[in-house]
Amino acid sequence: MDSCNEEEVPMRLHSAVEYLLHSHSDQLRSIILSPDPKLHYPLFVDYAELMDADPPLARLVFANPTDYLRFFDQAAILAHKRVLKDMVSHEKGVEKKFIHVRFNVCGSPLEFPETFPTIGRVRVKHRGILLTLKGTVIRSGAVKMYEGQRTYQCKKCKHMFPLYPELETRNSITLPSICPSQRSNPCEGTKFLCVENTTVCHDYQEIKLQESTQVLGVGVIPRLILVILQDDLVDIVKAGGTTDDVIITGILTAKWSPDLKDVRCDLDPILIANHVRKTNEMKLEIDIPDDVAMKFKQFWLDFRDTPLKGRNTILQGICPQVFGLFTVKLAVALTLIGGVQHVDASGTKIRGESHLLLVGDPVFTGTGKSQFLKFAAKLSNRSVITTGLGSTSAGLTVTAVKDGGEWMLEAGALVLADGGLCCIDEFDSMREHDRATIHEAMEQQTISVAKAGLVTTLSTRTIVFGATNPKGHYDPDQPLSVNTALSGPLLSRFDIVLVLLDTKNPEWDAVVSSHILGEGEYGNGKQDEDLANIWSLSILRRYIGYVKNHFKPVLTKEAEKVISSYYQLQRRSATHNAARTTVRMLESLIRLAQAHARLMFRNEVTRLDAIAAILCIESSMTISAIIDSIGNALHSNFTENPDEEYAKQEKLILEKLSLIDESLESNGLEGFN
């Protein structure tokens, strides 16, 4: 029976069957060995391989995907029957009813702009071809069931033929005017009967895809397109979460917009998906070739004797247009690299991501804070930039919208930045209750939602990078919470809070002005790729990605001792910085020390990393517990011999901490006696 069917099918279908048997017999075999016959199974085919094996067939799939994707599904069923027939008797194979061929266009000519446009450039000319679009899933609807095929029989000649619903006419089936049988004597029957038990139903889900905001210019509104997922593709992506950046290949078609009184009836473009590729899973793997990794290792071998000089070379590549500001650049690097997430025995997670807040004089606002925010966004694989004034609690977290009679959740800035960076400028402009909504997102890294009957928890594993102005003129005698008008619980969630005061310093002004005037001359010179001199944006991105994936630093005993002693010292003298000196500060110290170890290309947190973390925290204290006259973070510059400078700082800090240790020992002995 099967052999007769194969003789009747067109030649193209026969060549598709042969290709699948030759190149994808392993996939077919694994599908046959799966126990459930009613499931929908995907069969993945690389379009580039099909082009090499059968160019005419590949061209037909591209030019007429509506018919040929269906052809390939039929070919997969026929091929799997043939594999099933050839299987050994002891292998328990089960015949499957539904196999869908999914075409991956990665590495093929279909990745050119003509067939891979941005969502905003989709036009009528793209209709009816195999099209690929890239974007962020901002809304995912409920999974529904729809009728995908129905078989009819001609009353006159008894010819049976399948009919498929048309999306343009809202999934209605249109009967042909005359019998479609292709016989020598045409039947020309006009009456048809629906054959019982021949209806094929499919899972069906609608998602909304938005252009990635990172590739858009200023003033360009990101466009949306509706995407339809069917069968095995449903629920493969969700709005928010770590799987919401996708590349979807499918067929562009259209459907009539809903009938509304006095509203023009239009066709809305929709993409019927054939293949979905998540880009988040690829981001960790690409962009770091072996030769670049070797460059990083060689760089640290060269700076083996002066590691801090090597670290400062990397830091100078961060926001190079802003002169100096060593402390801020170090804080930005440590925040982006982050620590290691810790999960205890009970399953409680302690976040690995650090948060940073820059507090600056209004004088400093236009030149520095926003520059750092934008540069940090470029360094991160995924980033969302927003301002406090234009952000509501719903815009930052999640909003409930009604679409087609049902409620859906639409992801906000913190959810879209999951696994990346969320920059909030003008943090002080946010309303009090809007700021309160991000407490949970910053510490627990989730957002609990209960809106319109939808109760759920969304993931927000994001770094929050805030910039704010003080309330009026910054008063060093007042606590940070009074100066910034931010609550204590919110301030304690930021690992580093840097106060940038524009105090008058003639020497600093002279150095900065000569740097700015000299920029025009240096700008004309060519940048070389020598890592000892210059770290470009792309190299910095790769380096941050590399150290985050390859290093999971562990604290040594001496690092633990330094951090513990410093925390106890801060708790003793924490009258002025009470909002900051909580248990969260101890966690922050550990995170920053781990981030510094990663920055230094190590898997072990040494005393050097612990002291670097302490210096970062010290910079964010208005009154220091260790350094009596703390320098202004705005006027911090790169020193010529950082390793010598560090030796002095280490001696000073350890002296202070050893005094504490001695006093603790004496107190303990007195209590014991």
Side-chain angles (χ1 to χ4, degrees), residues 291-584:
D291 60 325
V292 175
M294 286 304 297
K295 265 188 182 181
F296 295 151
K297 288 171 186 169
Q298 187 58 47
F299 172 83
W300 284 107
L301 281 171
D302 296 342
F303 283 97
R304 189 172 50 241
D305 301 326
T306 54
L308 290 175
K309 197 169 185 180
R311 179 200 69 182
N312 287 8
T313 306
I314 297 171
L315 294 181
Q316 279 171 334
I318 293 174
C319 216
Q321 68 271 28
V322 177
F323 178 73
L325 267 63
F326 162 75
T327 311
V328 184
K329 291 182 179 182
L330 177 61
V332 169
L334 297 185
T335 305
L336 287 172
I337 290 169
V340 183
Q341 189 185 47
H342 173 65
V343 184
D344 64 13
S346 64
T348 307
K349 290 180 182 175
I350 297 170
R351 64 183 164 94
E353 285 78 14
S354 302
H355 304 308
L356 170 65
L357 180 67
L358 296 180
V359 183
D361 264 356
V363 180
F364 181 69
T365 305
T367 54
K369 294 202 302 290
S370 301
Q371 297 261 22
F372 277 109
L373 252 69
K374 285 174 181 170
F375 195 84
K378 288 178 190 170
L379 280 176
S380 181
N381 273 344
R382 179 192 293 182
S383 60
V384 176
I385 300 181
T386 181
T387 58
L389 198 62
S391 301
T392 60
S393 57
L396 280 172
T397 55
V398 68
T399 180
V401 290
K402 201 168 189 179
D403 187 30
E406 64 174 295
W407 286 96
M408 295 182 189
L409 292 178
E410 205 162 273
L414 286 166
V415 181
L416 289 177
D418 183 29
L421 174 74
C422 183
C423 300
I424 306 173
D425 207 352
E426 311 296 343
F427 206 78
D428 54 317
S429 305
M430 288 170 69
R431 291 193 295 269
E432 185 60 40
H433 78 275
D434 292 337
R435 278 202 293 261
T437 58
I438 68 171
H439 284 201
E440 184 194 355
M442 287 177 75
E443 193 59 44
Q444 278 73 42
Q445 301 203 305
T446 57
I447 285 175
S448 302
V449 187
K451 295 184 178 185
L454 302 167
V455 181
T456 184
T457 303
L458 298 173
S459 177
T460 57
R461 288 161 297 181
T462 177
I463 300 163
V464 176
F465 190 165
T468 182
N469 296 321
K471 193 177 70 174
H473 189 69
Y474 192 90
D475 184 0
D477 299 329
Q478 293 287 341
L480 197 59
S481 54
V482 173
N483 273 304
T484 56
L486 298 177
S487 64
L490 185 59
L491 275 176
S492 70
R493 282 168 166 79
F494 284 103
D495 295 62
I496 309 173
V497 181
L498 289 181
V499 180
L500 305 159
L501 298 178
D502 193 24
T503 51
K504 290 177 175 60
N505 186 333
E507 292 174 14
W508 174 258
D509 294 341
V511 172
V512 169
S513 56
S514 62
H515 169 78
I516 292 169
L517 292 168
E519 262 194 340
E521 299 167 23
Y522 297 129
N524 299 330
K526 288 183 181 177
Q527 288 189 347
D528 57 350
E529 281 297 311
D530 182 14
L531 294 187
N533 300 324
I534 189 84
W535 281 62
S536 63
L537 176 69
S538 60
I539 291 288
L540 272 172
R541 277 187 70 161
R542 286 175 176 179
Y543 184 76
I544 289 170
Y546 185 85
V547 295
K548 281 174 84 170
N549 293 335
H550 288 79
F551 295 105
K552 300 282 184 285
V554 181
L555 266 77
T556 57
K557 288 288 180 193
E558 56 178 4
E560 277 181 17
K561 192 177 178 185
V562 170
I563 288 171
S564 173
S565 302
Y566 176 72
Y567 173 66
Q568 290 171 54
L569 174 65
Q570 276 288 8
R571 290 289 287 176
R572 275 184 169 68
S573 57
T575 51
H576 206 72
N577 297 302
R580 300 268 297 128
T581 48
T582 61
V583 180
R584 287 199 181 114

Side-chain angles (χ1 to χ4, degrees), residues 209-242:
L209 204 63
Q210 178 183 287
E211 281 179 283
S212 179
T213 50
Q214 285 176 301
V215 297
L216 296 177
V218 178
V220 181
I221 298 169
R223 301 295 175 190
L224 305 168
I225 193 166
L226 194 69
V227 179
I228 289 174
L229 306 177
Q230 295 172 348
D231 304 320
D232 55 294
L233 297 178
V234 299
D235 259 356
I236 201 169
V237 289
K238 292 176 175 60
T242 54

